[in-house]
C-alpha cells in the first residue's frame, strides 16, 4: 500500500504513537523492598504524561520464580507478589487510561517457567496428558537430541531433574529422566510445543482474558521462535530455524484474539534474526498477523557476532542497516524504532558519548531515531541519558545471560578481566540499574536496599537534575520530539531518503510528504564538522525545527560535536 494510499486509508492510530518501555523491577519501588513494583509505576505516571508518550510496554509482572527476571512465567493470569496484586494492576490500568496512556503487556509464550503447572504435569511422566505441551525427545547417539545451544550457555536440552530448590521453595516434581526437553533459553524456561492445538488454544484464552481486562495489546517475546522445524529437533542441526508455520500461527492468533475487537490495539513481535523480507509478511496490513516487529540487525546480533563482542559503533553500518529497513517497509509493513531496551546496553554509551558530550549525544541519538519512519520505543531512563552501569566485578551482575556466559568462558580458560571488559560494554545489566529519579540515596528508586547497584553517577544524572537543566535537559528534548511526531504528518508518514551513506560521521537524511521536506543532519563525532550539504540557499534559509545546541552555529555549514538539526527545507 503506497504512502498516499496509507494516508487516504486513515493510517493506523499507532502510526504517530510513541511507546515507553518499563522494566518493572528497576523502575520505582513503593514498598521499600528494593524491587520496583506497580505502586512505584503508578507514582510516576505524571512523569510519563509530561513526556507525552502514548503507550507503555510493561515487561513481565506475572507470577514467576524470576530465573530470567520474569521472562519465566509460572502463572500467566496472576501478578507476582514482588510487583503487587491484580487489584493494584486494575487500578494502575484505569489510572493510565484516564491519562490517555495505553498499556501493552509482555507476552512470553515461546516458553514457560519449569514451575508452571503445565510443565510440572508434562514432566511427571511420558503418559501425562500434557506431555505433548512441551518438546520432549530421546537422546541422539548418547547425547542431547541435537546440537542446539541455549542463549544462556550450555545445551538447549535438559534431562536430569532440575531440583528446583532455592527458587520459590517449590519441590521438584518427579521428572521422567529418560527424555530431554527443549529450552532455547534457561533450563528453567522449557519451550512450549506450538504444534499442539491445545497449547495454542490455552495461549489465546489467556490473551483474551487480558484484553477483556482492558489491556491494549502485546509485545510478543521471541515470537518467531515458536515455530520449530520439526525435523531439526533431532540430529546434527546446529541452529534453531524459524519454522514456516509461524505465519499460520500468527494468523490464527489474529483471528481468535484480535479480530472483531473494536478497541485500538497494538501488537509488536520481538523477532531475533528476522529479515526485511520476513517482516513484510509479518507486518503487511493485509496479512492480519502483527502491526510491527523488533528486528535485531542494527544491534549486531545478526552480524554473527558473539553476544559479547565489543561492538564499537560503525556509523556507516548503522545507517545502512536502518535505511534498509526504512526502504524495505516503505510500501508495506511498519518499522519499530529502538536503540535500547532491557536486553541492550545503554544507547548513549554504545552508540554515542557518555562523557563530556553525554547530553548532546543522547539528544542526537533520540532525534535521529525519532525522525525515522516507524514507531519509536523509549527505554526507561534514556529520556534523561542514563549510561552503562560501569560494574567492575562479576558479583555485581544479576543477569542470567551475563553470569552464565562469564562462568562458561572462565571454564573455557578465558581471562576474567577480558570478560569483565566485554560485560561492561554489552551486558544486559547495563540497562537494568535502577532509574535515577533524584539526588537522594539510591537515586530515589527505593527507601530500601536496591536489588542491583545504583549507578554512582546518579548524583549528576537523574530526572530532577535533568528537568531543571533548561536547554540542556534531555527530557525536554524528548518531549519536543514526541510533540513533533504528534503534530507532523511528514514525521509520521513521510518518505525516507538517506544522504551521503558512506560518510563516516555524518548522519543525514530527508523525510518528504507532498510538498513538505525535512532535512535531518547529525554529527556522530567529538569533532566539529563542515557539512557542505548545508551550503545550499535552501538549507541556509530553512527554519530550524529542532536542534540540540541552544546557541546558533558560527557557520551555517558547521556541525559541532554530536550536534543534530532538523531543518524545514520546504
Ligand atoms: O530476548 C530475546 C533475545 O534474543 C535475547 O536473548 C537477547 O537478544 C539477548 O539477551 C541480547 O544479549 C527476550 C527477552 O527480551 C529477554 O529479556 C529474555 O531473556 C528472552 O527473550 C527469553 O525470554
Ligand atoms: Ca517493591
Amino acid at each position: 500500500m503506497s504512502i498516499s494510499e496509507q494516508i487516504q486509508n486513515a493510517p493506523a492510530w499507532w502510526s504517530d504513537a510513541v511507546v515507553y518501555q518499563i522494566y518493572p523491577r528497576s523502575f520505582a519501588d513503593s514498598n521499600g523492598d528494593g524491587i520496583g513494583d506497580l505502586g512505584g509505576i503508578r507514582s510516576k505516571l505524571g512523569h510519563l504524561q509530561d513526556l507525552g508518550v502514548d503507550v507503555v510496554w510493561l515487561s513481565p509482572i506475572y507470577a514467576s520464580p524470576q530465573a530470567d527476571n520474569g521472562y519465566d512465567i509460572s502463572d500467566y493470569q496472576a501478578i507476582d507478589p514482588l510487583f503487587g496484586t491484580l487489584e493494584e494492576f486494575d487500578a494502575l490500568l484505569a489510572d493510565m487510561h484516564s491519562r490517555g496512556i495505553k498499556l501493552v503487556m509482555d507476552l512470553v509464550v515461546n516458553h514457560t517457567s519449569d514451575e508452571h503447572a503445565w510443565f510440572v504435569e508434562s514432566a511427571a511422566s511420558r503418559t501425562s496428558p500434557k506431555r505433548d505441551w512441551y518438546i520432549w525427545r530421546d537422546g541422539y547417539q548418547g547425547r542431547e537430541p541435537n546440537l542446539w545451544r541455549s542463549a544462556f550457555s550450555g545445551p538447549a536440552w535438559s534431562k536430569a531433574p532440575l531440583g528446583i530448590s532455592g527458587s520459590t521453595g517449590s519441590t521438584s516434581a518427579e521428572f521422567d529422566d529418560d527424555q530431554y526437553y527443549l529450552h532455547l533459553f534457561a533450563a528453567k524456561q522449557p519451550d512450549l510445543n506450538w504444534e499442539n492445538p491445545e497449547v495454542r488454544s490455552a495461549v489465546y484464552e489467556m490473551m483474551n482474558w487480558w484484553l477483556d481486562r482492558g489491556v491494549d495489546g502485546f509485545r510478543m517475546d521471541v515470537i518467531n521462535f515458536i515455530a520449530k522445524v520439526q525435523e531439526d529437533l533431532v540430529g546434527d542441526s546446529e541452529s534453531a530455524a524459524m519454522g514456516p508455520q509461524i505465519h499460520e500461527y500468527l494468523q490464527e492468533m489474529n483471528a481468535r484474539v484480535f479480530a472483531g475487537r473494536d478497541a485500538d490495539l497494538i501488537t509488536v513481535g520481538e523477532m531475533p534474526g528476522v529479515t526485511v523480507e520476513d517482516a513484510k509478511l509479518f507486518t503487511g496490513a493485509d496479512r492480519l498477523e502483527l502491526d510491527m516487529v523488533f528486528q535485531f540487525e542494527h544491534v549486531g546480533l545478526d552480524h554473527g557476532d558473539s553476544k559479547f563482542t565489543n561492538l564499537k559503533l560503525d556509523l556507516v553500518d548503522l545507517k545502512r542497516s536502518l535505511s534498509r529497513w526504512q526502504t524495505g517497509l516503505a510500501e508495506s509493513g511498519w518499522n519499530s524504532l529502538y536503540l535500547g531496551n532491557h536486553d541492550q546496553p545503554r544507547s548513549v554509551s554504545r552508540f554515542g558519548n557518555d562523557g563530556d558530550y553525554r547530553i548532546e549525544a543522547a539528544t542526537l541519538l533520540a532525534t535521529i531515531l525519532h525522525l525515522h519512519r516507524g514507531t519509536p520505543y523509549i527505554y526507561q531512563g534514556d529520556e534523561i541519558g542514563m549510561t552503562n552501569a560501569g560494574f567492575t566485578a562479576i558479583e555485581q551482575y544479576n543477569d542470567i545471560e551475563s553470569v552464565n556466559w562469564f562462568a562458561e568462558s572462565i571454564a573455557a580458560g578465558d581471562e576474567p578481566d577480558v570478560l569483565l571488559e566485554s560485560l561492561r560494554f554489552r551486558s544486559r545489566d547495563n540497562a537494568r540499574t535502577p532509574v535515577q529519579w533524584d539526588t537522594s540515596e539510591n537515586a530515589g528508586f527505593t527507601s530500601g536496599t536496591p536489588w542491583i547497584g545504583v549507578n554512582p553517577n546518579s548524583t549528576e544524572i537523574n530526572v530532577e537534575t535533568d528537568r531543571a537543566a533548561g536547554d540542556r535537559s534531555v527530557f525536554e528534548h524528548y518531549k519536543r520530539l514526541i510533540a513533533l511526531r504528534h503534530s507532523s504528518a511528514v514525521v509520521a508518514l513521510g518518505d525516507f531518503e538517506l544522504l551521503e551513506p558512506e560518510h563516516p560521521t555524518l548522519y543525514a537524511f530527508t523525510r518528504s510528504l507532498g510538498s513538505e521536506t525535512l532535512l535531518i543532519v547529525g554529527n556522530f563525532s567529538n569533532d566539529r564538522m563542515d557539512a557542505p550539504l548545508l551550503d545550499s540557499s535552501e538549507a541556509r534559509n530553512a527554519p530550524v525545527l529542532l536542534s540540540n545546541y541552544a546557541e546558533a552555529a558560527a557557520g551555517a555549514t558547521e556541525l559541532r560535536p554530536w550536534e543534530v538539526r532538523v531543518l524545514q527545507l520546504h
Side-chain angles (χ1 to χ4, degrees):
M1 189 160 51
S2 72
I3 289 173
S4 55
E5 283 168 347
Q6 283 190 39
I7 297 166
Q8 285 153 16
N9 292 4
W13 67 268
W14 37 256
S15 60
D16 66 353
V18 177
V19 183
Y20 185 95
Q21 181 194 357
I22 290 178
Y23 190 68
R25 67 172 33 234
S26 305
F27 188 68
D29 172 25
S30 67
N31 65 353
D33 67 357
I35 298 175
D37 48 44
L38 299 184
I41 295 171
R42 191 160 179 204
S43 74
K44 300 296 183 184
L45 290 183
H47 174 77
L48 301 179
Q49 204 169 5
D50 286 354
L51 189 56
V53 298
D54 307 281
V55 183
V56 163
W57 152 29
L58 183 54
S59 279
I61 53 171
Y62 319 98
S64 162
Q66 301 295 318
D68 183 17
N69 290 354
Y71 282 91
D72 51 311
I73 296 165
S74 53
D75 184 344
Y76 287 103
Q77 292 171 226
I79 303 298
D80 196 283
L82 275 182
F83 299 116
T85 65
L86 214 41
E87 291 69 33
E88 286 177 302
F89 172 83
D90 291 339
L92 173 65
L93 181 60
D95 198 344
M96 292 175 80
H97 283 169
S98 73
R99 296 165 184 260
I101 299 173
K102 292 180 182 294
L103 178 59
V104 160
M105 299 290 273
D106 210 318
L107 184 77
V108 187
V109 291
N110 171 70
H111 48 271
T112 68
S113 165
D114 69 311
E115 296 181 34
H116 195 292
W118 296 346
F119 183 75
V120 174
E121 189 180 335
S122 175
S125 89
R126 284 175 181 254
T127 57
S128 152
K130 283 196 168 54
R131 185 67 171 188
D132 192 36
W133 280 47
Y134 293 84
I135 298 172
W136 297 91
R137 292 291 185 280
D138 292 329
Y140 179 76
Q141 297 177 354
R143 57 150 164 89
E144 288 79 11
N146 67 21
L147 299 174
W148 292 0
R149 306 289 292 168
S150 157
F152 297 156
S153 303
W157 301 86
S158 286
K159 182 177 184 181
L162 290 177
I164 37 184
S165 59
S167 55
T168 50
S170 57
T171 54
S172 62
E174 269 313 301
F175 286 86
D176 174 345
D177 62 5
D178 288 344
Q179 288 192 310
Y180 294 83
Y181 67 88
L182 177 67
H183 53 84
L184 297 180
F185 293 94
K188 285 184 70 64
Q189 294 170 290
D191 281 50
L192 282 165
N193 174 19
W194 273 73
E195 294 277 317
N196 185 334
E198 291 175 5
V199 168
R200 304 203 300 271
S201 293
V203 169
Y204 304 152
E205 186 180 334
M206 173 268 291
M207 293 174 74
N208 279 311
W209 186 84
W210 281 107
L211 291 178
D212 293 346
R213 208 169 189 95
V215 305
D216 304 286
F218 297 98
R219 175 266 187 185
M220 302 186 190
D221 192 62
V222 290
I223 198 66
N224 57 325
F225 289 3
I226 61 175
K228 277 83 175 175
V229 175
Q230 285 300 318
E231 50 273 16
D232 282 351
L233 290 172
V234 176
D236 298 324
S237 71
E238 296 196 352
S239 64
M242 178 174 75
Q245 64 273 46
I246 179 67
H247 296 293
E248 171 203 328
Y249 296 158
L250 291 177
Q251 288 167 13
E252 181 186 64
M253 177 192 285
N254 196 293
R256 291 179 48 182
V257 176
F258 301 109
R261 286 185 179 269
D262 56 9
D264 286 341
L265 303 176
I266 181 172
T267 58
V268 51
E270 185 209 27
M271 296 196 172
V274 69
T275 64
V276 172
E277 287 316 304
D278 296 332
K280 285 181 187 170
L281 296 179
F282 287 120
T283 64
D286 56 344
R287 294 280 300 172
L288 300 181
E289 294 188 16
L290 296 171
D291 294 326
M292 59 193 89
V293 299
F294 284 132
Q295 54 91 9
F296 282 66
E297 202 176 87
H298 65 303
V299 289
L301 284 190
D302 300 305
H303 297 164
D305 298 302
S306 89
K307 279 192 177 54
F308 291 91
T309 45
N310 284 349
L311 279 186
K312 209 52 200 139
L313 170 68
D314 175 326
L315 185 69
V316 172
D317 254 1
L318 181 65
K319 293 192 289 188
R320 184 177 299 126
S321 175
L322 290 179
S323 304
R324 181 165 43 244
W325 282 83
Q326 291 288 298
T327 313
L329 300 188
E331 296 305 312
S332 158
W334 192 257
N335 277 294
S336 63
L337 306 170
Y338 76 96
L339 289 175
N341 58 37
H342 65 292
D343 290 334
Q344 300 296 332
R346 284 284 179 187
S347 53
V348 72
S349 298
R350 181 188 193 165
F351 297 113
N353 174 313
D354 60 8
D356 296 342
Y357 291 107
R358 180 184 64 83
I359 291 172
E360 291 80 2
T363 49
L364 163 67
L365 287 166
T367 306
I368 294 292
L369 188 75
H370 283 243
L371 269 289
H372 273 67
R373 187 167 185 267
T375 299
Y377 285 71
I378 300 170
Y379 179 62
Q380 68 180 37
D382 280 353
E383 76 274 23
I384 59 166
M386 278 179 64
T387 68
N388 276 355
F391 290 160
T392 54
I394 190 61
E395 292 73 22
Q396 292 175 280
Y397 287 94
N398 160 279
D399 168 28
I400 186 169
E401 177 183 69
S402 301
V403 170
N404 285 4
W405 174 79
F406 183 86
E408 186 180 58
S409 304
I410 290 289
D414 291 338
E415 280 301 310
D417 290 351
V418 173
L419 302 174
L420 287 170
E421 184 50 27
S422 285
L423 290 178
R424 274 164 63 86
F425 191 84
R426 282 296 306 278
S427 170
R428 303 193 298 182
D429 278 332
N430 279 305
R432 298 179 180 185
T433 60
V435 172
Q436 296 161 194
W437 294 103
D438 57 40
T439 56
S440 71
E441 193 185 5
N442 296 319
F445 163 72
T446 179
S447 59
T449 305
W451 68 278
I452 191 170
V454 173
N455 194 316
N457 65 22
S458 66
T459 47
E460 295 83 46
I461 303 172
N462 59 74
V463 170
E464 188 178 71
T465 303
D466 179 275
R467 294 201 63 178
D471 290 337
R472 304 273 294 158
S473 164
V474 180
F475 180 94
E476 290 303 323
H477 192 89
Y478 267 86
K479 269 184 82 166
R480 288 191 288 272
L481 283 169
I482 296 168
L484 182 61
R485 175 168 292 269
H486 287 162
S487 62
S488 161
V490 62
V491 172
L493 294 169
D495 278 335
F496 172 95
E497 186 186 350
L498 182 66
L499 307 177
E500 305 206 28
E502 298 308 315
H503 194 297
T505 52
L506 174 68
Y507 205 135
F509 58 94
T510 58
R511 298 289 309 281
S512 306
L513 184 68
S515 60
E516 198 176 345
T517 295
L518 304 181
L519 169 63
I520 299 90
V521 288
N523 173 10
F524 275 68
S525 81
N526 294 326
D527 307 311
R528 289 171 183 271
M529 168 197 294
D530 182 60
L533 89 168
L534 293 174
D535 198 11
S536 69
S537 63
E538 197 176 35
R540 283 177 179 279
N541 299 311
V544 179
L545 286 190
L546 202 54
S547 71
N548 63 347
Y549 273 73
E551 53 291 334
T557 62
E558 177 196 30
L559 286 173
R560 290 157 287 189
W562 303 97
E563 180 171 5
V564 66
R565 266 184 242 152
V566 180
L567 303 177
Q568 179 90 46
L569 279 191
H570 49 252

